[in-house]
């Protein structure tokens, strides 16, 4: 498990991370979402021990990670802009990383290079951005660490390669001790793979929840109610997060179980009523607007 308690980091007059506390449990796919400048990269660099926090504590499996070689061997970090040695090839990088990550699976590394269509002897500087992202992901997976920290790893990948990498992540989680932490500014990239998602804003966690739990207790309904007074009753009786009209169509997002919400609306004899699936984007907008943040104006 990765645990942070009251972690802060400042760069001169910029507060990058501010008193952040969170837990990432082993075996889950954790998504870290936030705007550019929200502190995602700084947080990931502290989690893997590149940076030292100014305040608070960071523990990985109960051990501090900064200047702890044993702890770092269980963490692989993929930065947004991965560095490769001048003139290096994938072969060179595999040999380099194996000096530190002794469990790196060389056979699988070269097998995945072939599957992804990457030439093991080609100079990495000639790779496209997407090809470099693929190489970073392959190195991270084959290092066989317990934790893989990914900073905008899917950015630059085409849809086919994006799904291929997600598929490998999902398989790894099922087959061994593996916990990927995926930071992104794009909620849509995380919706189909992450079990738990944290929303980072101005260096702090606004919300950290299990996606399925959120979807079970937050629903979006569109309906047509014949009487204005009955509409008002619905808005009073339900725990409404947001509501608006599209002509005669009433759109309501409310907390509660599906049966509770539908019972309330059906009692008003609607001309039409339908529950709509909520996207991860809509869930976060709804939850964070309650906290006073116009997230839709910040992230999307």
């Amino acid at each position: 498990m990765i645990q942070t308690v009251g972690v802060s980091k400042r760069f001169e007059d910029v507060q990058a991370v501010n008193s952040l506390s969170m837990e990432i449990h082993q075996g889950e796919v954790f998504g870290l979402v936030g705007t550019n400048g929200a502190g995602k990269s700084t947080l990931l660099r502290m989690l893997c021990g590149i940076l030292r926090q100014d305040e608070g504590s960071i523990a990985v499996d109960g051990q501090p990670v900064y200047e702890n070689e044993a702890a770092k061997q269980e963490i692989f970090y993929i930065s947004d802009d991965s560095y490769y040695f001048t003139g290096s090839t994938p072969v060179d990088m595999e040999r380099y990383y194996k000096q530190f990550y002794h469990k790196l699976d060389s056979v699988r590394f070269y097998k995945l290079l072939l599957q992804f269509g990457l030439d093991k002897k080609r100079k990495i500087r000639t790779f496209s951005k997407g090809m470099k992202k693929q190489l970073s992901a392959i190195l991270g997976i084959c290092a066989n660490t317990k934790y893989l920290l990914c900073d905008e790893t899917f950015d630059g990948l085409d849809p086919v390669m994006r799904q291929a990498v997600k598929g490998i992540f999902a398989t790894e989680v099922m087959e061994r001790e593996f916990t990927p932490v995926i930071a992104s500014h794009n909620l849509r990239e995380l919706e189909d793979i992450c079990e738990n998602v944290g929303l980072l804003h101005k260096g702090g966690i606004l919300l950290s929840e299990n996606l399925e739990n959120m979807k079970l207790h937050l629903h979006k309904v569109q309906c047509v109610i014949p009487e204005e007074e009955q509409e008002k009753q619905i808005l009073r009786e339900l725990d409404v997060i947001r509501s608006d009209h599209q002509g005669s169509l009433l759109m309501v997002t409310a907390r509660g179980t599906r049966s509770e919400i539908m019972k309330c609306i059906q009692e008003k004899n609607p001309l039409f009523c339908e529950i709509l699936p909520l996207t991860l984007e809509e869930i976060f907008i709804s939850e964070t607007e309650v906290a006073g943040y116009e997230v839709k104006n910040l992230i999307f």
Side-chain angles (χ1 to χ4, degrees), residues 82-88 93 97 124 132-133 135-137 139:
S82 297
Y83 172 79
Y84 296 103
F85 299 124
T86 303
S88 64
M93 298 310 299
Y97 277 108
I124 299 173
K132 291 177 181 177
K133 293 280 187 177
L135 176 58
S136 295
L139 282 166

Side-chain angles (χ1 to χ4, degrees), residues 142-266:
C142 293
N144 280 319
T145 56
K146 289 176 66 176
Y147 301 96
L148 179 61
L149 310 183
C150 307
D151 193 357
E152 304 288 358
T153 298
F154 300 131
D155 185 30
L157 296 181
D158 64 55
V160 174
M161 290 301 174
R162 188 180 298 123
Q163 288 304 121
V165 172
K166 288 181 179 180
I168 294 174
F169 282 6
T171 301
E172 293 294 297
V173 170
M174 290 188 291
E175 294 183 349
R176 65 180 179 91
E177 287 186 320
F178 181 63
T179 305
V181 180
I182 307 170
S184 177
H185 64 279
N186 190 336
L187 288 169
R188 296 179 185 87
E189 288 183 351
L190 305 180
E191 187 165 10
D192 61 347
I193 186 173
C194 293
E195 301 164 75
N196 294 276
V197 180
L199 177 60
L200 192 65
H201 178 56
K202 293 184 178 180
I205 287 285
L206 284 184
L207 184 69
S208 181
E209 295 284 349
N210 177 275
L211 286 183
E212 288 304 315
N213 287 343
M214 283 193 287
K215 289 180 179 180
L216 284 174
H217 296 92
L218 191 67
H219 298 277
K220 182 179 180 180
V221 183
Q222 61 178 7
C223 55
V224 177
I225 308 298
E227 300 292 336
E228 183 178 350
E229 182 56 36
Q230 291 174 320
E231 271 196 16
K232 292 178 180 179
Q233 288 179 15
I234 289 174
L235 299 180
R236 286 195 301 266
E237 293 172 10
L238 293 178
D239 185 2
V240 176
I241 304 299
R242 60 187 304 176
S243 65
D244 56 76
H245 278 93
Q246 294 180 5
S248 61
L249 196 65
L250 174 64
M251 309 286 289
V252 176
T253 302
R255 284 196 182 94
T257 66
R258 181 188 182 101
S259 59
E260 290 170 343
I261 293 171
M262 289 301 290
K263 179 182 178 182
C264 175
I265 295 176
Q266 293 291 351

